[in-house]
């Protein structure tokens, strides 16, 4: 497909350990568009004054209202007495600005919900059976099965809490997406190729004259 002539945004939600980030990177490379994941978004948030410690609390869906600047947050506007609201606002604004800047793929960060009103945004959700997720986490992080399972459960719980906090709906809600796919069927490369073909069809529908 190569360089897109018109603007297109891809929101890719995924379960921890299913290979979603790797799939997202390959899709972005194949379409020659920008790629943004949690690390990139969090780096931007840090640049505007949110400390890593506060981001870690927010990542778990913990209410961080009442914290003061000396407790880890600098330059908080006075109208945001609740820092949970402030961080939710910041994340939404960052995602919206990245989506408006250029064609891109955004992994997670509630982007499917935040960008739900964009007609040029295709929402994808990648998942995999637990045994596949366990093996991937064991291999990537060099963990035994027990620790890998604990890591997956912790990440799943955090994602559920964070998504609910920002959207008011359940993480993995299928009605927010155009396609859900099990990455274990085709693997990382095969899933990326399959999704690129789907994205081409979505693009053609959004831009029939393109």
């Amino acid at each position: 497909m190569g360089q897109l002539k018109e603007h297109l945004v891809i929101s890719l939600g995924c379960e921890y350990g299913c290979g979603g980030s790797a799939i997202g990177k390959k899709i972005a490379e194949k379409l020659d568009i920008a790629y943004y994941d949690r690390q990139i978004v969090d780096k931007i948030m840090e640049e505007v004054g949110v400390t890593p410690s506060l981001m870690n609390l927010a990542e778990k869906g913990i209410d961080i209202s009442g914290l003061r600047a000396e407790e880890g947050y600098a330059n908080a506007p006075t109208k945001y007495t609740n820092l949970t609201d402030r961080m939710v606002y910041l994340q939404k604004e960052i995602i919206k600005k990245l989506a408006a800047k250029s064609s891109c793929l955004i992994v997670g960060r509630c982007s499917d919900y935040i960008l739900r009103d964009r007609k040029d945004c295709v929402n994808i959700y990648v998942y995999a059976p637990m045994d596949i997720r366990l093996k991937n986490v064991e291999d990537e992080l060099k963990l035994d099965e027990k620790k890998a399972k604990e890591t997956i459960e912790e990440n799943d719980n955090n994602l559920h809490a964070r998504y609910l906090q920002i959207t008011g709906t359940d993480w993995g809600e299928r009605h927010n997406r155009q396609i859900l796919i099990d990455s274990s069927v085709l693997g990382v490369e095969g899933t990326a190729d399959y999704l690129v073909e789907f994205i081409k069809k979505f693009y053609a529908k959004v831009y029939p004259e393109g």
Side-chain angles (χ1 to χ4, degrees), residues 54-97:
L54 275 183
M55 282 188 275
N56 287 334
L57 288 175
E59 195 62 32
K60 298 177 181 179
I62 295 174
D63 189 343
I64 52 177
S65 58
L67 296 180
R68 301 182 301 277
E70 60 266 28
E71 293 173 308
Y73 187 76
N75 305 318
T78 54
K79 70 174 182 175
Y80 290 101
T81 55
N82 184 328
L83 288 183
T84 302
D85 292 343
R86 170 60 176 164
M87 290 186 67
V88 167
Y89 170 80
L90 276 175
Q91 179 169 316
K92 287 182 177 180
E93 288 303 297
I94 289 168
I95 293 298
K96 287 177 181 178
K97 287 180 180 179

Side-chain angles (χ1 to χ4, degrees), residues 155-166:
N155 277 275
D156 283 354
N157 289 337
N158 289 347
L159 282 168
H160 278 292
R162 184 62 171 153
Y163 196 87
L164 181 62
Q165 183 185 69
I166 290 182

